[in-house]
Amino acid sequence: PLRYGSGLRMKVLEAWARGVPVVATPEAVAGLEARAGEDHIAASDGPAFAAALARLANEPILREALVAGGRRLLARAHDPGRAADALTAVYESAMARMSARRARA
């Protein structure tokens, strides 16, 4: 299991987008609002990873649930359209404040 590295979170997001169930260390999903058991299986060492992969191989319902959970999280918290809308709202707010300051000056 990887403890740190560039791009781990992007790999998790890509897996969710592609419908791949995720097994990850807590560090790999840090900051993604992920919940172990809902959108991924948490594993901190080699034996835990092996056990998680065996579960995924033998439990199709678990695979489906993790894929669905990952896609829900992706849509809720990491959707590019929502991110763009939020950024646009920040810009519009900043521009409105600047316009108000200019009008008072």
Side-chain angles (χ1 to χ4, degrees), residues 1 15 26 38 43 54 60 68 83 97:
E38 290 184 26
R97 285 193 308 270

Side-chain angles (χ1 to χ4, degrees), residues 3-99:
R3 299 277 176 222
Y4 59 89
S6 178
L8 284 176
R9 287 167 195 81
M10 286 303 292
K11 289 173 181 61
V12 171
L13 296 173
E14 289 171 358
W16 286 334
R18 290 187 165 106
V20 176
V22 172
V23 177
T25 62
E27 295 87 358
V29 295
L32 295 179
E33 300 179 27
R35 293 187 177 156
E38 290 184 26
D39 45 50
H40 74 288
I41 296 176
S44 296
D45 58 25
F49 259 81
L53 294 173
R55 283 188 67 201
L56 287 175
N58 293 310
E59 298 179 35
I61 293 172
L62 174 62
R63 284 194 310 266
E64 292 170 12
L66 293 175
V67 166
R71 286 191 165 157
R72 276 193 305 274
L73 176 58
L74 189 64
R76 184 184 80 245
H78 303 284
D79 177 77
R82 287 186 183 191
D85 290 346
L87 184 57
T88 298
V90 168
Y91 288 150
E92 288 173 347
S93 175
M95 291 174 63
R97 285 193 308 270
M98 285 177 50
S99 293

